[in-house]
């Protein structure tokens, strides 16, 4: 049967759904490979009317993934923008936000922060202050409220999504699903269709899926997760993925400085003077430790 070029629009375990010019096909990989990500452009060989085998993955522009000691979990391929959704309440995890920003830097993906639920007044000042730390590093922070001001939310985000392949990530409870439903009015219907096609039953939130926007842009919605391991990043990648370290790299006494406890380290000097947040340096030290534990 003929070969087709398609985009992977959903993944659940080793089952994938591909979109070939509007035609949806259930796909599997040959053998036990699971190295396919949502957003991948693939070459398919049709095996029946609505089924195909993935023969080849086209070269990727970017790949976002997380990893623990034992394995890696692909999040999305060929994306240009990452939107991290945080909220005034419940409180968000700075560790998760920083890890996602480090992953984006390492992958060459532009990162943005969305501060949702700004209509909830009591925790707003504290949430703004915490989000402001990332704003000070140069990451744009967009304040909105999906529930109270939906039109404003759409007006704010649509220009940022135009012409881009974007992914939305965030802990559960941040309002990410509400935002996706505003931006993709038929998202619920699409999720049901994908669930049926992938035979996921009622587990509609456990798979990553891609929605097309007008003009060829796309949004990938990733399930909420509480951990973001970066065991795959090497020491060299890590120091460059903390944007605030960049002015000081090369300024240390020792050329192979790890920026942990070495004398006359320019990065540690900047931490001591408050030019690099202590919290971020502590995460860097933790990630260095993790990268030394890798087993795969």
């Amino acid at each position: 049967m003929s070969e087709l070029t398609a985009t992977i629009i959903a993944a659940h375990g080793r089952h994938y759904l591909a979109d070939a010019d509007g035609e949806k096909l259930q796909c599997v990989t040959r053998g036990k490979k699971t190295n396919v990500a949502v957003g991948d452009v693939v070459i398919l060989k049709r095996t029946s009317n609505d089924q195909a085998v993935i023969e080849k993955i086209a070269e990727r522009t970017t790949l976002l993934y997380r990893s623990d000691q034992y394995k890696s979990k692909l999040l999305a391929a060929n994306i240009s923008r990452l939107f991290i959704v945080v909220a005034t309440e419940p409180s968000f995890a700075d560790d998760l936000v920083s890890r996602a920003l480090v992953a984006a830097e390492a992958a060459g993906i532009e990162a943005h922060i969305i501060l949702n639920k700004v209509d909830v007044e009591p925790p707003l000042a504290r949430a703004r202050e915490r989000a402001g730390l990332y704003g000070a590093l140069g990451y744009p922070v967009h304040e909105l409220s999906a529930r109270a001001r939906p039109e404003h939310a759409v007006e704010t985000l649509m220009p940022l999504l135009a012409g881009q392949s974007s992914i939305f990530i965030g802990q559960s409870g941040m309002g990410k699903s509400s935002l996706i439903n505003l931006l993709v009015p038929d998202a619920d219907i699409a999720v049901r269709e994908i669930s049926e096609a992938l035979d996921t039953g009622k587990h509609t939130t456990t798979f990553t899926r891609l929605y097309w926007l007008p003009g060829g842009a796309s949004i990938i919605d990733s399930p909420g997760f509480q951990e973001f391991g970066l065991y795959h990043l090497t020491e060299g990648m890590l120091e460059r993925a903390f944007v605030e370290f960049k002015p000081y790299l090369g300024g240390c006494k020792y050329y192979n400085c790890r920026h942990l406890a070495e004398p006359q380290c320019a990065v540690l000097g900047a931490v001591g003077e408050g030019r690099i947040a202590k919290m971020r340096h502590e995460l860097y030290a933790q990630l260095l430790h993790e990268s030394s534990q890798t087993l795969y």
Side-chain angles (χ1 to χ4, degrees):
M1 289 199 171
S2 60
E3 287 193 339
L4 296 163
T5 301
T7 302
I8 299 296
I9 59 167
H12 182 79
R14 280 161 49 190
H15 296 269
Y16 304 95
L17 195 66
D19 182 334
D21 284 332
E23 187 185 2
K24 310 279 196 309
L25 294 155
Q26 297 171 40
C27 304
V28 290
T29 53
R30 289 208 182 276
K32 291 186 177 175
K33 288 187 195 163
T34 54
N35 59 339
V36 183
V38 172
D40 263 328
V41 175
V42 293
I43 306 297
L44 303 176
K45 190 168 245 178
R46 195 193 285 272
T47 53
S48 71
N49 272 348
D50 60 353
Q51 294 183 322
V53 172
I54 298 168
E55 293 284 348
K56 189 176 173 223
I57 302 168
E59 193 176 339
R60 296 159 168 154
T61 54
T62 59
L63 180 64
L64 185 69
Y65 63 105
R66 53 197 180 106
S67 57
D68 60 21
Q69 227 169 323
Y70 307 100
K71 62 182 188 304
S72 57
K73 166 94 174 138
L74 305 185
L75 291 174
N78 302 316
I79 52 172
S80 52
R81 282 194 178 159
L82 165 73
F83 291 88
I84 305 165
V85 183
V86 298
T88 51
E89 64 174 19
S91 183
F92 58 90
D94 280 304
D95 180 71
L96 201 67
V97 174
S98 271
R99 283 168 177 267
L101 292 174
V102 167
E105 286 295 331
I109 297 162
E110 186 184 308
H112 292 243
I113 310 275
I114 295 173
L115 177 57
N116 191 21
K117 307 187 192 179
V118 293
D119 56 306
V120 184
E121 287 287 338
L124 178 57
R126 178 79 185 113
R128 259 190 188 139
E129 184 188 326
R130 291 175 64 205
L133 167 70
Y134 308 109
L137 297 176
Y139 298 107
V141 178
H142 311 283
E143 293 193 1
L144 42 88
S145 174
R147 291 266 160 82
R149 297 183 65 200
E151 295 87 358
H152 170 259
V154 172
E155 282 166 19
T156 303
L157 294 176
M158 274 306 195
L160 300 170
L161 299 168
Q164 304 289 329
S165 302
S166 303
I167 182 170
F168 279 57
I169 68 166
Q171 296 160 260
S172 52
M174 299 291 138
K176 179 169 63 71
S177 298
S178 302
L179 283 172
I180 296 284
N181 288 329
L182 282 179
L183 299 165
V184 188
D186 55 354
D188 285 346
I189 301 164
V191 164
R192 277 201 298 279
E193 285 173 356
I194 292 168
S195 283
E196 283 163 26
L198 290 178
D199 197 23
T200 61
K202 292 180 179 143
H203 305 296
T204 51
T205 58
T206 58
F207 58 86
T208 303
R209 58 262 189 205
L210 179 149
Y211 304 106
W212 298 111
L213 293 174
S218 61
I219 298 180
I220 292 174
D221 183 15
S222 179
F225 44 80
Q226 308 304 324
E227 289 180 358
F228 203 120
L230 296 170
Y231 284 70
H232 57 282
L233 298 184
T234 63
E235 281 190 29
M237 290 162 85
L238 279 171
E239 67 173 15
R240 290 191 300 277
F242 281 79
V243 286
E244 64 271 50
F245 287 16
K246 284 179 183 171
Y248 308 104
L249 298 180
C252 304
K253 181 179 180 183
Y254 299 104
Y255 79 94
N256 59 346
C257 185
R258 298 181 78 209
H259 323 301
L260 293 176
E262 295 83 353
Q264 294 175 47
C265 165
V267 170
L268 287 174
V271 174
E273 291 165 14
R275 284 176 284 152
I276 292 176
K278 196 161 180 289
M279 174 186 87
R280 292 268 295 176
H281 182 263
E282 284 167 0
L283 174 65
Y284 164 77
Q286 172 63 26
L287 293 177
L288 262 194
H289 172 70
E290 287 176 14
S291 75
S292 68
Q293 310 290 309
T294 313
L295 300 177
Y296 64 86

